[in-house]
Amino acid sequence: MFIEEFVVDDPVAVNEGLEAFLATLNLKRDFAWSSGARDLPTGVPSRFLDIYPEGIVDKYDSFGIVYVRLWLVGPNPTRLLMGIFLGAARAEQAEPRRAANFVRHELENLIDPLERERGFQYKTWGDADIWWREDGMSVRAVTRQFEQFMTYKAVTPNDGNFDSIEADIGRLIATVDEAMDQLEPLREFGKNILLLYYGENLPTVAVAAGDAFADGVAGGGGAAPAGAEPEVPKPDPEPDWFSTLPDEPDLGDLRGMREPYEKVVAALAAGKHVLLMGAPGVGKTELAEAVCRTIPQPYDVVTATSDWTSVHTIGGYMPVPQPGSDAEPLDFIPGVFTEAMAANKWLIIDEMNRADIDKAFGEMFTLLGGKRKSIMLPYRKRQDDGSYQRVVLGMANTQQADTHVYALDPGWRLIGTMNTFDKASLFQMSFAFSRRVAVIDIAIPNEADYRAILETGAAVLQDGDDNALHDAVLGQLAAIFAVETGAGLGALGLRVGPAIPLDMIRFIDRMRRFEDDPAKLVLTALESYLFPQFEGRHEQTADIAASLAGTLGLQALPDESLARLRAFTGAMD
């Protein structure tokens, strides 16, 4: 039991016990450890044991690297702080908080279970549990370092809880092991931490943003000499994505998408944001995500709505409750664009044409124009000391101490999708927006590819030697969706992408428990999955009804089905 030996300060026994303990955890990576002791600035003795993934970087506590820290602080009494620690070069007041919040957001799916299931938590210096504080004793220098714990737990170790402590430590180590996958590429992640951590207080040595793990930063990075101006790092050139692209991209189940994929990557690498246009269900969003994964580039996906304003996208004032107080002062809360920019995650906006683009994008129009621009927003951001600073988006001068900067990396991109089938909101974008993006059309797969996609999806309907239902459903869906000319939607110019019939197939697979007539099953699925796509097409109601009835082998659609179709198209009796 290594934790007992750590408490009694037996280094040899700790090494032996910890090696055996790590061997029981089934980790992906090799872990090493380092220990040390020092008196805190207030004179209180402390010892620490750091457990970290070996070989990830040259220094395990480099900027942005996360590892497990066990910190014994005492006496009176001696307690153990255990948690996930964030590597940094120095501890100021606000910087660790910004960096820790950023990393907590990145690792939310890993940290949340620790805090909900095992009682870990994150605290700032203002409310940290400083059990050894005496009257008049300043604790800020210590609690700033506590804030580098992204999540931690404080316990008093004794013979009765060593097992539970080691169980918690095992979970922490496993979490860090998983975190290494999510923080890739580590160099880019370290760059973000460097910029977040230092802000306007850049180190004396000029540091290129891409050198976040350089020894000069991770190992020291002291304050600038008196009177010296902090040096501003030069922005990195945009990455050469073509050098890392695989010869055969993984496009998943998408067929016929190689050419659109190449156009999208070329447009992004040329410095443009991208708008993918096409019929519903054709795979626009899937292609956007596949591109991001192939590059690779972290990304977020959001869906636009008609309610969007610049508050949703850029941000705005919201009441923010204050700990230990009933006050809820207004503060600037970033929107989806600003959050993605700050985390350097690309943003995929699904169904972009459902938003009033000119109204919703607001000040983003300037930033989307490129050329390393910046904008001053009409908002102020509350700082940790209670003061407020002007909010700036983009490539702002980091020496302006009175600004709160949400930096925009020159390699940041926006990818939007637009549904050309929805006439109610088609082409509602201004020239000012359209000239800021590369518009790429995503065509419906050709008939051969479409049939192959349907055949793959319909395999779930096969039932041993009896494939009558499978064959009938596949034939009807192919006639409705895959055929480019003649009968079906192709004759009406209303073809949609394969995502819709694939959804129908999954529905039919479940529904066949209650119904065995292929025509009725397909018609029921059409009512739920296809009819909503015809919103506003009242003038084509009769043609749509006749076409679908013909492919289903019916004289006409049943009255109930026709009524449902009319409800979506808006046709009048």
Side-chain angles (χ1 to χ4, degrees):
M1 186 171 288
F2 81 90
I3 192 63
E4 182 178 1
E5 310 303 337
F6 175 57
V7 171
V8 300
D9 198 13
D10 185 344
V12 175
V14 168
N15 288 338
E16 294 175 352
L18 187 51
E19 184 173 1
F21 177 73
L22 291 172
T24 68
L25 297 182
N26 193 28
L27 302 170
K28 301 178 188 176
R29 297 167 178 79
D30 293 331
F31 273 68
W33 56 92
S34 177
S35 60
R38 63 186 175 89
D39 287 348
L40 299 180
T42 50
V44 176
S46 74
R47 289 187 291 111
F48 62 87
L49 174 65
D50 294 338
I51 307 170
Y52 54 89
E54 191 172 23
I56 299 295
V57 290
D58 292 337
K59 277 182 99 278
Y60 78 88
D61 55 353
S62 297
F63 252 100
I65 289 295
V66 295
Y67 53 95
V68 174
R69 167 159 287 192
L70 313 179
W71 201 347
L72 276 173
V73 180
N76 302 323
T78 297
R79 297 186 73 186
L80 172 68
L81 281 85
M82 53 181 173
I84 299 179
F85 207 71
L86 177 65
R90 63 178 183 178
E92 296 297 335
Q93 196 171 93
E95 288 86 343
R97 214 168 303 157
R98 286 201 300 265
N101 284 332
F102 172 74
V103 181
R104 281 173 59 85
H105 179 270
E106 292 291 297
L107 301 178
E108 181 178 5
N109 64 315
L110 298 178
I111 292 177
D112 181 65
L114 282 173
E115 298 183 334
R116 285 189 297 104
E117 301 168 11
R118 307 194 75 90
F120 286 83
Q121 58 188 319
Y122 173 70
K123 292 184 177 181
T124 64
W125 69 263
D127 60 8
D129 179 16
I130 308 304
W131 58 92
W132 39 261
R133 179 176 183 173
E134 299 176 0
D135 291 341
M137 178 184 290
S138 171
V139 297
R140 291 192 178 187
V142 178
T143 51
R144 288 180 201 138
Q145 297 170 64
F146 285 175
E147 286 179 351
Q148 288 174 229
F149 277 111
M150 292 187 301
T151 189
Y152 73 90
K153 181 191 293 188
V155 297
T156 302
N158 55 60
D159 292 340
N161 64 4
F162 286 138
D163 286 339
S164 64
I165 289 174
E166 287 200 356
D168 281 337
I169 294 170
R171 181 69 177 273
L172 289 170
I173 295 171
T175 300
V176 169
D177 192 34
E178 291 293 329
M180 290 299 102
D181 292 333
Q182 294 189 211
L183 301 186
E184 291 286 358
L186 285 176
R187 198 169 176 80
E188 287 298 309
F189 182 77
K191 176 189 70 174
N192 292 333
I193 292 295
L194 177 71
L195 297 176
L196 276 170
Y197 191 92
Y198 277 113
E200 292 83 25
N201 304 308
L202 293 166
T204 54
V205 180
V207 180
D211 292 332
F213 296 141
D215 287 342
V217 178
E229 289 291 336
E231 296 189 42
V232 181
K234 296 180 179 179
D236 274 352
E238 293 188 20
D240 179 12
W241 296 323
F242 289 105
S243 64
T244 58
L245 286 178
D247 293 334
E248 292 297 329
D250 181 9
L251 300 181
D253 296 330
L254 297 174
R255 284 177 173 263
M257 287 288 191
R258 182 59 184 263
E259 183 178 347
Y261 159 81
E262 293 172 349
K263 290 180 180 178
V264 172
V265 173
L268 293 169
K272 296 295 286 185
H273 307 281
V274 171
L275 177 63
L276 305 180
M277 300 184 69
V282 78
K284 301 181 292 295
T285 306
E286 288 82 358
L287 176 61
E289 293 188 74
V291 168
C292 291
R293 290 192 300 267
T294 303
I295 285 177
Q297 171 63 45
Y299 63 93
D300 284 330
V301 181
V302 296
T303 302
T305 72
S306 59
D307 296 328
W308 265 18
T309 67
S310 61
V311 174
H312 295 85
T313 58
I314 305 299
Y317 284 134
M318 296 288 179
V320 179
Q322 298 301 302
S325 171
D326 294 332
E328 294 188 356
L330 293 178
D331 196 2
F332 175 78
I333 303 300
V336 293
F337 285 4
T338 310
E339 281 191 321
M341 286 166 44
N344 198 23
K345 287 185 173 182
W346 287 8
L347 191 62
I348 298 174
I349 305 179
D350 200 20
E351 303 288 352
M352 185 184 290
N353 53 329
R354 295 198 177 277
D356 185 337
I357 295 175
D358 287 356
K359 177 180 71 173
F361 279 37
E363 293 86 348
M364 279 299 296
F365 275 110
T366 299
L367 294 184
L368 294 178
K371 297 183 180 178
R372 305 186 186 277
K373 298 175 181 177
S374 64
I375 54 175
M376 184 82 73
L377 297 182
Y379 300 107
R380 294 182 180 273
K381 178 68 176 174
R382 190 175 189 273
Q383 306 301 303
D384 296 313
D385 60 2
S387 64
Y388 286 83
Q389 294 181 352
R390 294 294 300 272
V391 176
V392 173
L393 303 184
M395 303 295 294
N397 184 346
T398 56
Q399 297 185 64
Q400 294 177 326
D402 61 341
T403 57
H404 187 99
V405 180
Y406 290 92
L408 176 63
D409 189 280
W412 186 81
R413 295 288 185 271
L414 179 150
I415 304 176
T417 72
M418 182 171 285
N419 181 0
T420 58
F421 207 71
D422 187 356
K423 280 196 169 183
S425 54
L426 180 60
F427 297 133
Q428 289 188 0
M429 60 178 181
S430 65
F431 176 75
F433 175 74
S434 61
R435 74 176 181 84
R436 286 168 164 78
V437 296
V439 180
I440 296 175
D441 182 65
I442 307 300
I444 293 174
N446 61 45
E447 188 170 330
D449 283 340
Y450 210 130
R451 286 181 180 273
I453 292 170
L454 294 182
E455 288 173 0
T456 300
V460 298
L461 300 179
Q462 292 178 343
D463 188 11
D465 296 330
D466 183 9
N467 288 322
L469 177 66
H470 165 273
D471 296 344
V473 169
L474 180 58
Q476 291 174 0
L477 293 181
I480 294 171
F481 294 99
V483 177
E484 298 182 48
T485 58
L489 298 178
L492 304 177
L494 297 178
R495 293 182 76 214
V496 298
I500 292 174
L502 290 176
D503 285 342
M504 291 174 56
I505 290 171
R506 288 187 285 270
F507 172 79
I508 291 170
D509 182 38
R510 303 298 187 269
M511 191 67 187
R512 61 175 167 167
R513 176 179 179 180
F514 312 105
E515 175 62 61
D516 57 7
D517 185 341
K520 290 183 178 179
L521 284 169
V522 172
L523 181 57
T524 302
L526 288 170
E527 292 174 0
S528 298
Y529 293 89
L530 180 64
F531 284 10
Q533 304 300 325
F534 296 134
E535 182 180 358
R537 294 184 177 272
H538 54 86
E539 75 283 356
Q540 292 181 280
T541 303
D543 292 337
I544 294 171
S547 174
L548 294 178
T551 54
L552 295 175
L554 304 173
Q555 292 295 323
L557 289 184
D559 291 343
E560 290 183 359
S561 298
L562 183 58
R564 291 191 180 97
L565 177 61
R566 287 176 175 274
F568 285 107
T569 62
M572 304 296 291
D573 291 332

